[in-house]
Amino acid sequence: MNIAITNGGPLSPPSFAAGLSAWSREHGTPGSATWAGQANAAIVSADQDFGTCLEITKTAKLTRLRFMGETPIRPGTYLRVSVRLKAVAGAKPSVRIAGWAGDQGRAHVGGLTETGPSVALSSFGKVVEISAVIGSGARSGVDMVWGGRPVYGHFGLDLTGANGGTVRIDSVRIEDVTPDFLREMIDLVDVRDFGARGDGTTDDRAAFEAADNAAKGRVLVVPEGTYRIGSDLTLTAPVRFSGRLTMPRQARLILMGSFDFNSYAEAFGDETEALKRALQALFGYTDHATLDLCGRKITLTEPLVMTELAPGLQSFSSRRLICNGWIHVEDGAAWRSAVANSRARYDVAQSRTLSDVENVANIEIGSLVTGPGVGREVYVRAKNVGAGTVTLSQPLYGGSGTRSYRFERFRYAFDFLGMESCARVNFADIEFSLGDAASFLMLPAEGEMFHIRDCFISRPKDRGITSVGRACQDLLVDRCQFLSSEMHLKAQDRRSVAINVNANDAKIRDNRFVRFGTFMVATGTGHLLVGNHWFQGDNSDVGKRVPGLVIAQTNCKMAITGNYVDNNVIEWTNEYSADPNFGPNQYSFGGLSITGNHFTVQHVLSDFAWLSVKPYGTGHHIHGLTVSGNVFLVRGAKIKRVEKVDTTFADLDYGRMRNISFQGNTFNGVLDYIANPVQITHTQSSTQSSWVVPISQHVPFRAWAKNVDSVTAVSMIKDGAGKHVPEMPWVRTQRGPGRQNLQVEWSRPVKGKVVIRARMDDPN
């Protein structure tokens, strides 16, 4: 682009001392008249200002002086033609730079401005310099805009005005001044031009701000060096970094014209620090809703704790999206869990508080609590060191008393705990390679509408998504794959949990969860689990199958629809109850709908069941359950039933069962077909006045047959003499040991076959 030389020589013409045959009195084109031998032109050898120079007496209305050499002009280049001269006698003329534009075919290009500004010579002996800039672009400071057609020009000057005056002219200079227009032409602004030092100690913030103000849409360039920025900096222009920035942690860098991970990575030179700075800006400024990771693999060497990377960030509720990348955790000391052991007192009257907590200062908020009487996924939500108390995410079921507890704080790639509230944070199209070193996401204590979609969460060390409070309200997880780091272990040896929720209305849809200790522990109500596949089997020939989904809410109002439940149990409990016995003004187990799912299992003992109800106290019953349209398949040895009651702590109260629909299911490899209402056929071969009909093995949970809808004879009912008995029997329910039988009562001994439709609940 820069044409500082022509054919290996300089742009400026030779001096007049070399002769006047190279100087035209016309346009400078080949064959035009020259100044050589003209009476009104002479070479002066010893002028006091110029030395050797040209003296011309003006005798024509327009007197031209043009260099006959062809000076090249190319698009994107800019030339300055300048002349020094003075009036020495006679009338004082005006003077201007002038030229002639020629195209590729050596023809004149018309319609262009070919003269520069005119300057009047006002006194004798005063040296005046005139100049004009010629270039292809219409830029500020360009006097002759020639566009792209001309490829060369003949340049010099014009004398105008009164005749008879004599002027002396120093040599004509032609210079390439393209660099003067370079910044504007290629759209770059260098921060060094505005005082940035890049020495690592000088605060360059003011220089960056001045450069940004001057850019007006052009690109800021940050050359090699280390630039210290002492406080918040917002750059509206796009930025290109070769150098690196250093900033205090509390200072924000907001790249409004280049808001993506690549720009922050170039600015800070460290991927973890770059992601911290980008997130700090994302949650600190409202002009950007999306942080694009640009498809990059980003190595994290430490957890991203939001309250640390953005000091002062306590609440945020605008939608933000982090997307399109690969987060790779590099193992190291920063990912080690913090563990504390302590004794504490629990009182059921203060169901979410541990008191008299020893070593409370060393217990981290967000720690998992384990110990006697503690349910699954109970966390430390807050602590008061002065009072010696710990606030729990859920009550404990073990009753009042002083016990020993273990507190373990896992490390998460993204940790929002510590914020008072945060809502509407979205992760999309990201692969999280956690490498058995880090957990994935710790939610804040309060908030709603976190959304994780189209992501791969691979090998979390302990947890996938953890909630210690209620920021799991309206949690959305769609089309993700969670791959456990414990796939090589037997199912009963795994400890990882993919998701836990405490609040309401989670939507878990179209995901795949592979071999976690537990796929999900859910309390709260209104959850939808749709189209997921969670499987937790192992390669053991006779394996123990553990809960994959734990529903820790009695009246759960949950729909489990269209899922593939593979080698694990749905366990329904009330383990988050400080007083787990059923009491007045309570709801017991109800509000659960399990429809259209595919259940499979293999290599299990015969007492396995996919649905297990586990009351942690006495007096509980089921008052709302739908299990319909499911397919149950056992590979290998058959199992007895698909459902059961785990009586580790207590049994159900079968006398209070109501509103249970268990029908339209398909059983493969299951010995006991069950339904409610159930229809069974009973054949009485010997004459009896009271027929004993076993019923419990055919109704859910081996409950009592509380009601009989109908008894229909499907053969002739005969007495001992073979005579037809045309009477209607009556039925007694809940008979025999464990109330497991019905008794069909007749007025005299009879035999025959009947179809009985019975149910183990009250319909409402």
Side-chain angles (χ1 to χ4, degrees), residues 9 20 102 111 128 160 183 287 350 370 489 573 611:
L20 300 181
V128 175
T160 63
R183 179 185 305 153
D287 271 15
Q350 295 179 299
T370 54
L489 299 177
T573 82
L611 175 60

Side-chain angles (χ1 to χ4, degrees), residues 495-510:
R495 298 293 178 265
S496 58
V497 177
I499 300 173
N500 85 287
V501 293
N502 301 310
N504 303 326
D505 304 330
K507 312 296 189 298
I508 314 298
R509 299 171 293 206
D510 300 324

Side-chain angles (χ1 to χ4, degrees), residues 345-355 395-396 399-401 577-579:
R345 180 172 57 86
Y346 183 70
D347 185 344
V348 296
Q350 295 179 299
S351 63
R352 292 178 185 260
T353 302
L354 289 178
S355 303
L396 310 184
S400 299
S577 177
D579 183 1

Side-chain angles (χ1 to χ4, degrees), residues 104-158:
Q104 191 69 40
R106 317 200 86 71
H108 181 240
V109 179
L112 302 178
T113 299
E114 295 180 295
T115 58
S118 180
V119 176
L121 301 179
S122 59
S123 59
F124 295 115
K126 180 181 178 181
V127 176
V128 175
E129 181 170 337
I130 62 170
S131 66
V133 174
I134 304 96
S136 59
R139 300 184 181 276
S140 176
V142 178
D143 302 294
M144 304 181 206
V145 179
W146 282 9
R149 284 189 59 196
V151 297
Y152 69 95
H154 295 288
F155 296 108
L157 58 80
D158 290 340

Side-chain angles (χ1 to χ4, degrees), residues 589 621-627 653-663 675-678 695 698-709 733-734 742 757-764:
F589 292 92
H621 54 281
I622 299 175
H623 63 90
L625 171 64
T626 298
V627 181
D653 181 351
Y654 297 102
R656 302 186 67 179
M657 297 289 206
R658 63 184 176 87
N659 197 22
I660 297 170
S661 175
F662 209 115
Q663 55 189 333
N676 191 60
V678 65
I695 191 71
H698 300 297
V699 296
F701 308 107
R702 291 186 177 270
W704 312 332
K706 296 179 64 179
N707 296 284
V708 175
D709 295 339
T733 62
Q734 305 176 42
L742 299 172
R757 181 179 173 87
R759 56 187 311 132
M760 43 74 71
D761 64 334
D762 293 316
N764 51 53

Side-chain angles (χ1 to χ4, degrees), residues 138 194 262 380 405 462 483 569 589 603 683:
F194 295 84
N262 282 346
V380 174
Y405 300 97
D462 300 293
L483 300 176
V569 178
F589 292 92
H603 304 309
T683 300

